[in-house]
Amino acid sequence: MKISVVGTGYVGLVTGACFSDAGHEVMCIDNNPKKIEMLHRGEMPIYEPGLEEIVKRNVEAGRLKFSTSVKEGTEFAEVIFIAVGTPPGPGGEANMTYVEQVGREVAENMTSYRLLVEKSTVPAKTSEHLKRTVLKYLRADTDFDVASNPEFLREGTAIPDATNPDRVVVGVESKRAGDLLEEIYKPILAKGGGKFLRMNVTSAELTKHASNSFLAMKISFINAVSRICELAGADVEQVAQGMGLDPRIGPRFLKAGVGYGGSCFPKDVDAFVRLADALGNEFTLLKEVQKINKTQREHVMKKIKQELWVVQDKRIAIFGLAFKPETDDVREAPSLYFVPELQAMKAKLRAWDPIAEGKFKEIHPDLETVPDLYECAKDADLVLILTEWDAVKNIDLAKLKSVMACPVIVDGRNTFDPATVRAAGFTYHSIGRA
Ligand code: UGA
């Protein structure tokens, strides 16, 4: 089938590339000419493991092409996925300008039936606005559908998630739209074995909000437990293991740490809270999830202050700027909280991240970064771990100790076994391990 995907970010480009790999003919569109020029040169505008190979393979096979024109995309395919950014505005609400713009351009250029599919994470009820937009700007006398197909892929493992989904959720208002989407996903599900779920549009939108909010809740739950563990003298890793073996609970997303970040959980929980408020039904549980996530960072900051006593002029080495490993994404990353806070206290910072350094420096160009972990830790009074990259997990502790002014680690990701780090001569503070 022919498919257009508008937006070449983490969701759009991965989706487009994986659809083409499943045998469809795909046009990926972005209004940023720089991104499209990069893609034409075979360069990726984002870092995602395995993406470059898939893009290259499908461009060579003639199944994947790129354009800056929504008009061209509308003429090319009957089904148009919208995967443009919906960044939070100044008040926290999602900025829907780009989604609206795509809806309008598709409407102005379609001459026969088109199916517009929301793929970006959008607030519930977006489909209704999108439908009104299309009706307003539609020039031709033709039918159309708006559907929701929320994305569940994770950055860093986006390719296996997209090619091997647990489920594909589609919210549709007509059989025609549902059948088109089923056809698109048939080759992917035939290989991966996930379930295809057809429901109404608002239910599909809410499934996304509820799934991400539930996972965020799981993380905040274990983070809240971690603080009790510290006070009571327990080990949160052991508690999580004991809980996770119950299949009703499950072991995943029970890793205590410095709090969740990224472009999805903070925004989605916030959107769900706002939706509930707007509907007159306050979602107090999720407000608590947000509060725990915020105070978890402050809790780690407290550990740093307690250890250093005077923060001013202390050298702090930050290991990891990305919101999680295997991505260059720093949106809502814990590093965005710690760097300015520590700078305000006049600490001397030096940071290391194998991929996210560039994106972080677009926001904080003043942060000193180095490409080597040991160089980063040279003469440091404290190492702060914010992302559990493999290079950090596999660090040579003896060498690390030898370059530091003072062997202290504050580990926001429980990267190490406390006994091993202490045996190596470090003062070690981690999460929920008394
Ligand atoms: C998340 C969801 O997991 C995806 O299913 C969803 O499609 C995506 O949002 C989205 O809405 O687009 P992602 O943000 O890429 O994916 O990353 P996650 O792997 O879920 O991690 C989110 C944050 O939670 C990270 O900061 C991570 O460090 C943190 N986390 C995760 C924990 O602190 N503990 C855990 O046990 C798991």
Side-chain angles (χ1 to χ4, degrees):
M1 268 177 82
K2 283 187 171 181
I3 303 167
S4 288
V5 182
V6 187
T8 59
Y10 293 92
V11 171
L13 189 54
V14 169
T15 303
C18 292
F19 281 161
S20 65
D21 214 37
H24 299 302
E25 268 184 77
V26 179
M27 182 183 287
C28 284
I29 295 133
D30 204 294
N31 65 359
N32 182 342
K34 276 193 191 142
K35 283 190 176 180
I36 297 301
E37 279 161 24
M38 279 180 86
L39 286 162
H40 278 140
R41 289 197 301 268
E43 293 166 23
M44 297 302 107
I46 52 160
Y47 175 78
E48 186 59 47
L51 180 63
E52 194 170 335
E53 292 91 286
I54 296 199
V55 168
K56 195 165 170 257
R57 181 163 70 233
N58 288 284
V59 167
E60 276 168 10
R63 284 190 298 264
L64 181 59
K65 51 187 171 184
F66 308 102
S67 166
T68 51
S69 161
V70 172
K71 179 173 185 285
E72 210 182 317
T74 308
E75 287 160 1
F76 176 76
E78 191 179 16
V79 186
I80 300 151
F81 284 81
I82 304 179
V84 293
T86 53
E93 72 293 344
N95 178 350
M96 303 305 289
T97 313
Y98 308 114
V99 174
E100 187 200 36
Q101 183 60 28
V102 175
R104 178 176 174 161
E105 278 188 58
V106 170
E108 286 170 347
N109 291 294
M110 63 196 250
T111 51
S112 57
Y113 176 85
R114 290 293 178 270
L115 169 60
L116 284 88
V117 189
E118 305 164 0
K119 191 76 172 161
S120 312
T121 297
V122 291
K125 302 285 181 190
T126 294
S127 70
E128 288 177 14
H129 294 294
L130 196 54
K131 214 164 132 184
R132 275 201 297 124
T133 304
V134 176
L135 281 172
K136 253 199 249 172
Y137 296 103
L138 191 60
R139 290 180 185 153
D141 178 20
T142 174
D143 251 6
F144 71 94
D145 270 307
V146 170
S148 163
N149 171 217
E151 186 49 67
F152 300 110
L153 57 81
R154 293 160 297 167
E155 289 178 23
T157 52
I159 303 291
D161 286 352
T163 49
N164 197 8
D166 308 316
R167 79 289 206 198
V168 170
V169 170
V170 303
V172 289
E173 283 181 342
S174 75
K175 184 173 176 313
R176 182 177 189 175
D179 289 350
L180 277 169
L181 286 165
E182 194 161 351
E183 195 58 34
I184 288 175
Y185 279 104
K186 208 183 253 167
I188 292 173
L189 294 177
K191 248 193 190 169
K195 246 200 157 118
F196 186 83
L197 284 178
R198 216 183 265 220
M199 56 182 77
N200 71 42
V201 180
T202 310
S203 301
E205 290 173 335
L206 273 189
T207 302
K208 171 73 185 189
H209 283 310
S211 300
N212 273 4
S213 296
F214 187 87
L215 292 170
M217 180 186 75
K218 235 180 144 181
I219 298 168
S220 275
F221 182 86
I222 201 67
N223 284 338
V225 170
S226 78
R227 289 192 228 165
I228 305 288
C229 287
E230 286 177 13
L231 295 167
D235 181 329
V236 72
E237 300 282 324
Q238 293 176 9
V239 175
Q241 195 187 8
M243 289 169 65
L245 286 173
D246 181 335
R248 291 170 303 173
I249 299 173
R252 298 168 74 186
F253 283 73
L254 276 186
K255 179 100 182 126
V258 66
Y260 60 76
S263 69
C264 306
F265 287 173
K267 196 172 76 173
D268 279 12
V269 174
D270 194 53
F272 213 8
V273 164
R274 281 166 192 273
L275 176 71
D277 279 344
L279 293 170
N281 188 85
E282 194 184 2
F283 208 148
T284 48
L285 173 65
L286 287 187
K287 288 187 175 171
E288 201 55 39
V289 167
Q290 293 178 305
K291 192 169 144 200
I292 293 167
N293 200 51
K294 182 170 175 284
T295 52
Q296 190 70 359
R297 291 171 185 191
E298 294 161 4
H299 183 63
V300 173
M301 183 62 92
K302 223 183 270 168
K303 288 177 194 273
I304 298 172
K305 285 191 200 161
Q306 270 166 7
E307 175 58 44
L308 291 179
W309 181 36
V310 176
V311 177
Q312 181 163 346
D313 292 332
K314 292 281 163 55
R315 290 186 185 278
I316 298 178
I318 298 178
F319 287 0
L321 298 168
F323 82 96
K324 66 171 190 177
E326 297 305 328
T327 180
D328 60 348
D329 199 343
V330 299
R331 285 176 289 178
E332 301 287 333
S335 55
L336 289 174
Y337 161 76
F338 284 96
V339 168
E341 285 282 319
L342 291 168
Q343 280 174 337
M345 288 183 257
K346 300 201 166 50
K348 293 182 176 158
L349 305 182
R350 193 184 290 147
W352 168 93
D353 192 291
I355 304 179
E357 175 198 323
K359 291 226 161 114
F360 191 88
K361 285 183 102 165
E362 285 171 18
I363 306 164
H364 288 286
D366 53 336
L367 179 69
E368 183 191 347
T369 52
V370 287
D372 179 76
L373 277 168
Y374 304 100
E375 198 187 332
C376 181
K378 193 165 181 292
D379 299 327
D381 299 288
L382 186 147
V383 160
L384 169 63
I385 301 176
L386 294 181
T387 320
E388 67 280 32
W389 286 100
D390 278 345
V392 177
K393 286 187 195 159
N394 299 325
I395 201 164
D396 178 338
L397 288 171
K399 191 171 165 192
L400 178 65
K401 182 169 178 265
S402 73
V403 299
M404 291 180 71
C406 201
V408 177
I409 298 176
V410 172
D411 185 355
R413 297 292 183 180
N414 285 357
T415 316
F416 301 116
D417 166 46
T420 310
V421 190
R422 290 190 183 120
F426 285 86
T427 300
Y428 182 62
H429 304 278
S430 58
I431 310 287
R433 299 188 289 184

